[in-house]
Amino acid sequence: RKEVEQDPGPFNVPEGATVAFNCTYSNSASQSFFWYRQDCRKEPKLLMSVYSSGNEDGRFTAQLNRASQYISLLIRDSKLSDSATYLCVVTPNTGGFKTIFGAGTRLFVKA
Amino acid sequence: GAGVSQSPSNKVTEKGKDVELRCDPISGHTALYWYRQSLGQGLEFLIYFQGNSAPDKSGLPSDRFSAERTGGSVSTLTIQRTQQEDSAVYLCASSLVPGVGYEQFFGPGTRLTVL
């Protein structure tokens, strides 16, 4: 089993749609969680951290479910500019700060 | 301000040759990470540095891969006797400190092609 798993998609949605991605992780003692965004042939950039209580940043909402070992990302009112690959990132508790990236979920938002 | 820089941006080499990839982190960032991303794949963790030491080298694919960091700044990833399966984009990232909750800032990557 991979340490971090994501549905690769692609998700094809119209502008204005709401779309949700899930990501599961295998290490129950994992410490920190993030969503990064990667545009085609570009480097990843932080989208948002994921906190235990859930957190929201504009149209984006991230949630963590420790009991079921998954994190989610909800995008409301999708824009064309949201088209990208969304990477789930986990720092497992292995005594250091190794960071594990999921393979990513591709999103295409169409007019 | 300057972000993370990497050089070269592209490298084409012949199978069996050695290559060196360089990463210049953001000034003051003590943590530095190396990843590899193959076409259409996610990022594969290779190694991270805390200062000049590498507490976790578990991601290095083989003993052909090595990395060092000097002066708590520039890092070099060396691949000896390159193989075609080493072809990928090699990404470097830095963060203020290694640890829970700290954002990693990525460089633009070095695209390595082994013929």
Side-chain angles (χ1 to χ4, degrees), chain A residues 5-71:
Chain A
E5 294 199 74
Q6 295 183 248
D7 181 344
F11 285 64
N12 292 288
V13 303
E15 271 188 298
T18 295
V19 61
F21 309 136
N22 283 336
C23 165
T24 58
Y25 60 94
S26 61
N27 187 325
S28 61
S30 292
Q31 302 176 73
S32 59
F33 309 88
F34 306 88
W35 285 101
Y36 276 70
R37 169 191 169 132
Q38 186 173 27
D39 292 298
C40 189
R41 299 178 75 87
K42 296 286 189 181
E43 69 272 21
K45 292 185 179 179
L46 179 67
L47 178 66
M48 60 196 303
S49 302
V50 186
Y51 303 120
S52 296
S53 55
N55 48 299
E56 187 174 309
D57 183 1
R59 298 182 292 108
F60 299 84
T61 300
Q63 293 196 317
L64 167 63
N65 184 318
R66 284 193 181 271
S68 301
Q69 293 178 214
Y70 77 84
I71 67 174

Side-chain angles (χ1 to χ4, degrees), chain B residues 30-34 47-55 67-69 75 98:
Chain B
T30 61
L32 187 148
Y33 302 79
W34 282 100
I47 188 172
Y48 88 88
F49 288 89
Q50 184 170 340
N52 292 335
S53 64
E68 65 174 10
R69 189 179 184 195
S75 176

Side-chain angles (χ1 to χ4, degrees), chain A residues 31 92-97, chain B residues 48:
Chain A
Q31 302 176 73
N93 185 9
T94 54
F97 300 114
Chain B
Y48 88 88

Side-chain angles (χ1 to χ4, degrees), chain A residues 2 31-34 36 38 41-46 49 51 87 89 91 94-104, chain B residues 33 35 37 39-43 45 48 50 56 58-59 91 98-109 111:
Chain A
K2 290 183 179 179
Q31 302 176 73
S32 59
F33 309 88
F34 306 88
Y36 276 70
Q38 186 173 27
R41 299 178 75 87
K42 296 286 189 181
E43 69 272 21
K45 292 185 179 179
L46 179 67
S49 302
Y51 303 120
L87 303 169
V89 183
T91 301
T94 54
F97 300 114
K98 174 180 177 178
T99 308
I100 306 298
F101 280 71
Chain B
Y33 302 79
Y35 298 91
Q37 187 171 32
L39 188 63
Q41 302 297 311
L43 275 70
F45 169 85
Y48 88 88
Q50 184 170 340
D56 193 333
S58 63
L91 289 159
V100 175
Y102 286 94
E103 178 180 0
Q104 292 183 31
F105 296 83
F106 282 82
R111 184 173 298 277

